[in-house]
Amino acid sequence: MKRFIVILCAVLLCGHAAVVKQSGRSFPKDFLFGTATASYQIEGAYNEDGKGENIWDRLTHQVPSPIKDQSSGDIAADSYHKVERDVEMMRELGLDAYRFSLSWSRILPTGFSNQINPAGVDYYNRLINEMLKYNIQPLVTLYHWDLPQPLQDLGGFASPLFGQWFEDYARVVYTNFGDRVKFFITFNEPREICNEGYGGTGFAPVVNATGIGEYLCAKHLVTAHAKAYHLYNNEFRASQGGKVGITISVNWFEAETDSEDDKLAAIWFRQGSWGIFSEPIFGLEGGFPKELAERIAEKSAQQGFPRSRLPEFTDEEREYIRGTSDFFGINHYFNARVSATTYPVNPAVPSLNDDVGVDLIFESKRAESTSGPVVKLSNVMLLLKELYGDWDFYITENGMSSAPGVDDTARGLYYKAALENCLDAIDDGIKLKGYMAWSLMDNFEWMQGYTSRFGLYAVDFEDPNRPRTPKHSAFVYKRIIKDRFIDHAYVPDASVSVMTIDEGH
């Protein structure tokens, strides 16, 4: 998390409690309710017990710091030392599942698999075992943005060897945790990794090789994903019986008008944002999206390049990558419109922004957003089904930020609206299997530091003990999970009581 910080204005509904017959809808019995976190954002212990340096350690220790509040994830929420309390929070909420990421450099300090750190493996074993003790299913992300620095020094995602490095890491993960973990996500949000980290300055490693770096990263990332998937298929699936997939940030971009120009502009923007990663894996033909590839080739020729800046796939590569997922993980945070007459402001040339050539009109600036949270998860899933067929979908991240403190009534309203939208998708025949709220607790929000808070639990970052306190939204989410039902008449209020663990969970 998180890149675009979009303020969603929620109007509080009238608060008197009328005694009326309530109606609503129920979630399927096997629907997974969970929360999500990422290793660098919560673990801390950045140089303890043999952990190696990663790209966020390097970036946050620069002078001057590029982080908004000059902070780092050196301690963060100190989850490395708080396994029991973190699992206790999951139990208080009544979670079915918890999605967390592994720190590659905590397990493999140099990035390479010849040196495995026993203390890192032990930490994740303790967390997994504590969760399973209470029937909480672990959903493990192999990579959530914190590449070991030694691998970055060799080129990172821009290196053609990256897929080999990732496959070796994946083998260590499957070997050590796959007997108990049955749900693996290879990469979290390729767009942010490649477009922001290699084609821009939005995230580590801040390569800023615009118009070239993001495209090299995209090809090597989807290839590495396929390697990890085939590895599981060939060596681990028969004995472990788990699933392997990928999580892509799919925000909702629609045409501003019904004009053909606006519709094409929306296609270009979708493909540049997420289709460049989803098409090779989920598309019927594989490879990069046709319309985007043609546009980049045309732009490259105009700029004097001897060939397209977007690498091509061989027929063998297309076939190797296509279909390499057991599910489609979706992270979703905002909605926007696209117009053929809305252009990026002074884009770098070359760059993805210049190649796509259109910009966004944010939904939150429109009148309809003042009526409450506007969530279009169902639109996203219906579009993905139309493009790629009938996949199992998981919402692996969804949420909104708020000011520090426990009174986050607007977030409670947002979660209710988002989960209503999930029920809409299920009613429309979408195979939606689970929802992971971002985030279990307040954490280090990348370039925003600790100025942005997404947690269901507040963390006091001024206290060395990093105490966790449930926010209003935690009680809203707990109620929905416990009932497995959304009452249309239920209006979350700002009251907060003591969070307890329900009997039997």
Side-chain angles (χ1 to χ4, degrees), residues 31-36 92-97 395 411-412 415-416 419 434-440 456 471-484 490 492 499:
F31 189 86
L32 290 179
F33 285 102
T35 60
E92 289 170 354
L93 290 168
L95 300 186
D96 303 310
I395 306 304
R411 182 185 281 114
Y415 280 133
K416 179 175 181 284
L419 288 163
Y435 177 92
M436 307 295 128
W438 185 272
S439 175
L440 176 61
L456 289 160
K471 302 181 186 180
H472 162 69
S473 58
F475 293 89
V476 174
Y477 196 41
K478 177 184 175 76
R479 171 175 171 161
I480 293 171
I481 294 171
K482 183 177 181 179
D483 295 342
R484 307 192 73 82
Y490 169 49
M499 182 70 82

Side-chain angles (χ1 to χ4, degrees), residues 95-106:
L95 300 186
D96 303 310
Y98 175 56
R99 178 190 168 219
F100 63 97
S101 75
L102 306 175
S103 167
W104 188 337
S105 56
R106 194 178 296 283

Side-chain angles (χ1 to χ4, degrees), residues 48-69:
E48 291 185 37
D49 292 344
K51 176 187 165 294
E53 183 186 26
N54 65 46
I55 56 176
W56 282 92
D57 295 326
R58 177 68 61 88
L59 184 69
T60 58
H61 295 158
Q62 287 182 2
V63 179
S65 170
I67 308 303
K68 186 174 182 178
D69 59 1

Side-chain angles (χ1 to χ4, degrees), residues 146-159:
D146 50 353
L147 189 69
Q149 185 62 43
L151 298 186
Q152 185 58 46
D153 293 340
L154 295 173
F157 284 82
S159 170

